[in-house]
Amino acid sequence: MKFDLDHIYIEDACRDTPLARRILSRADAVAPISFVADGREVARPQPGVADSFATGKRRMVVMRRRSPFLMACPAGSAKFACCGYLVLTLASNCPMDCSYCFLQEYVADNPGLQIYANYDDAFTEIDKLSASAPARHFRIGTGELADSLAMDSLTGMSIDLVNFFAARENLTLELKTKTDEIENLLRVDPRGRVMVSWTLSPRRVFEASEHGTASPAARIASARGLLDGGYRVAFHLDPIVVYPEAERDYVELLDELFAIISPAKIAFISMGGLRMTAGLRAAARRRFPKDAMLLGEDVLAEDGRYRTFAPMRIRLYKILADKLKSAGTAVPSYLCMESSSVHERVFGAAPMHPAEAGERLALR
Ligand code: SF4
């Protein structure tokens, strides 16, 4: 997959970084390039533009990250059963455009497609964390504020990342994507320490809502390719959208997956229902007024997000959890951003402590 860019801006201070040099050597045919003193100026919404979030996706800004790279997953809180995931922010915004994407609200004031050139500092942060708890195993992912691989053919960052994690025993890198950009990954040896995960949706959701992404079949084929290349693979059914044919479509999706990848080879499959703050719901419906997937029966939940009516989403979770349990080898699964009580109703047991859950998932 290759994404169109309108312009590439490179911060002066990043001009001589390996990332900028790689982009400069490849970008001639991609988009015009300018140098700027402060990337934050061009990452902001541009005046007079109707959909500045959409245009931001096409304006790449290579810049320094001024805040820490590593943080606890923002989905984790006292309210939710948590998987102990740590987020590494190497980029912000995404060239694809899913109608339900939380970035529509989260980076509305900062929509440029930012790639952080000082990612050596991220490696220093990770080494410090790891040295502070040598007996622990950390699962660290880059796919929170950006797709992990969408721009990889231009940036080549995945090669440095995989090489860094491959050399460290107590770390697992999780790259999360909706693309089939796997060429760079196939050039390096992850030594079993890198997991690549794909969000999977039924074709009906893909066609209605996941604009610019690789098809579900292409995502599964990429996973197969990386599995053969020594990577661990995992999947996220997230967001799960409830619509009239959803039960049949999601079960069929798992059947399609298991026909290509044996359940025994899958590290885990997470599940999470469609959830939207009022601000995100308004932005999504304004930008995608024809997307029926955004118009399901939702109610305002205790956490201030609109969610599918609980009995409907729990029913679908249970059907899928049963399917995973009976898949020959049971596939580990967890719920994202759901309470312990929902977890118990779906799996019949309380969730593990976040740190334990994180370590188990990292080591699968
Ligand atoms: S692929 Fe992920 S980050 Fe990109 S638009 Fe879709 S949901 Fe957002």
Side-chain angles (χ1 to χ4, degrees), residues 57 94 96-98 100-103 144-147 178 213:
K57 286 171 173 287
C94 169
M96 296 169 276
D97 204 2
C98 303
Y100 50 71
C101 179
F102 85 109
L103 296 178
E144 184 67 18
L145 296 190
D147 183 281
K178 283 198 186 104
T213 64

Side-chain angles (χ1 to χ4, degrees), residues 69 91 110 277 307 355 360:
F69 283 87
N110 189 26
T277 62
R307 292 168 177 267
R360 287 230 187 149

Side-chain angles (χ1 to χ4, degrees), residues 228-241:
D228 296 341
Y231 289 82
R232 288 183 276 156
V233 299
F235 300 92
H236 304 276
L237 300 177
D238 192 350
I240 289 177
V241 185

Side-chain angles (χ1 to χ4, degrees), residues 16-318:
D16 288 327
T17 59
L19 174 68
R21 283 204 296 270
R22 283 199 298 273
I23 290 176
L24 283 165
S25 73
R26 295 169 194 173
D28 271 0
V30 177
I33 297 178
S34 306
F35 293 93
V36 292
D38 188 337
R40 292 172 295 187
E41 297 298 325
V42 283
R44 291 193 180 122
Q46 302 298 291
V49 174
D51 187 351
S52 56
F53 176 72
T55 54
K57 286 171 173 287
R58 299 164 60 94
R59 194 167 66 248
M60 178 183 276
V61 188
V62 179
M63 60 189 283
R64 278 169 301 136
R65 182 163 174 83
R66 274 98 171 156
S67 35
F69 283 87
L70 200 57
M71 60 181 182
C73 173
S77 83
K79 289 195 194 95
F80 303 124
C82 172
C83 65
Y85 189 60
L86 293 169
V87 168
L88 189 66
T89 303
L90 300 179
S92 176
N93 213 345
C94 169
M96 296 169 276
D97 204 2
C98 303
S99 63
Y100 50 71
C101 179
F102 85 109
L103 296 178
Q104 293 172 101
E105 182 185 34
Y106 199 79
V107 302
D109 294 332
N110 189 26
L113 178 52
Q114 295 155 66
I115 314 281
Y116 301 120
N118 55 329
Y119 62 92
D120 263 2
D121 296 343
F123 295 155
T124 306
E125 283 178 34
I126 297 168
D127 275 339
K128 266 193 201 153
L129 173 76
S130 173
S132 72
R136 279 195 60 188
H137 197 108
F138 295 97
R139 173 173 155 240
I140 301 173
T142 64
E144 184 67 18
L145 296 190
D147 183 281
S148 298
L149 297 173
M151 301 309 297
D152 203 53
S153 59
L154 182 59
T155 69
M157 279 164 83
S158 70
I159 293 179
D160 290 341
L161 270 173
V162 172
N163 285 334
F164 175 85
F165 278 82
R168 284 158 178 81
E169 257 176 42
N170 65 333
L171 301 178
T172 293
L173 170 66
E174 183 179 337
L175 300 169
K176 203 185 275 188
T177 190
K178 283 198 186 104
T179 73
D180 53 6
E181 282 282 346
I182 61 170
E183 273 172 42
N184 282 334
L185 294 180
L186 290 172
R187 292 167 50 202
V188 277
D189 179 3
R191 302 182 66 200
R193 293 175 187 146
V194 181
M195 179 185 295
V196 185
S197 66
W198 283 261
T199 298
L200 282 186
S201 301
R203 178 156 279 278
R204 229 182 281 258
V205 177
F206 158 66
E207 285 172 353
S209 308
E210 297 179 344
H211 309 284
T213 64
S215 69
R219 296 178 212 174
I220 294 171
S222 299
R224 177 75 251 176
L226 286 186
L227 191 61
D228 296 341
Y231 289 82
R232 288 183 276 156
V233 299
F235 300 92
H236 304 276
L237 300 177
D238 192 350
I240 289 177
V241 185
V242 177
Y243 54 93
E245 304 83 3
E247 289 181 13
R248 191 194 60 205
D249 286 0
Y250 278 93
V251 168
E252 280 181 10
L253 177 67
L254 289 179
D255 285 335
E256 281 167 39
L257 172 63
F258 296 157
I260 308 284
I261 300 181
S262 157
K265 299 280 186 191
I266 295 174
F268 62 83
I269 297 182
S270 78
M271 298 189 283
L274 182 66
R275 51 205 179 269
M276 293 186 158
T277 62
L280 171 58
R281 192 167 80 145
R285 288 181 176 182
R286 185 179 64 247
R287 296 189 65 240
F288 299 97
K290 293 189 180 143
D291 186 346
M293 298 297 165
L294 299 174
L295 303 173
E297 273 189 57
D298 56 9
V299 291
L300 189 57
E302 273 179 12
D303 66 346
R305 291 178 175 86
Y306 285 89
R307 292 168 177 267
T308 307
F309 187 45
M312 293 168 71
R313 70 177 198 276
I314 290 172
R315 179 186 154 84
L316 186 47
Y317 285 152
K318 283 179 86 163

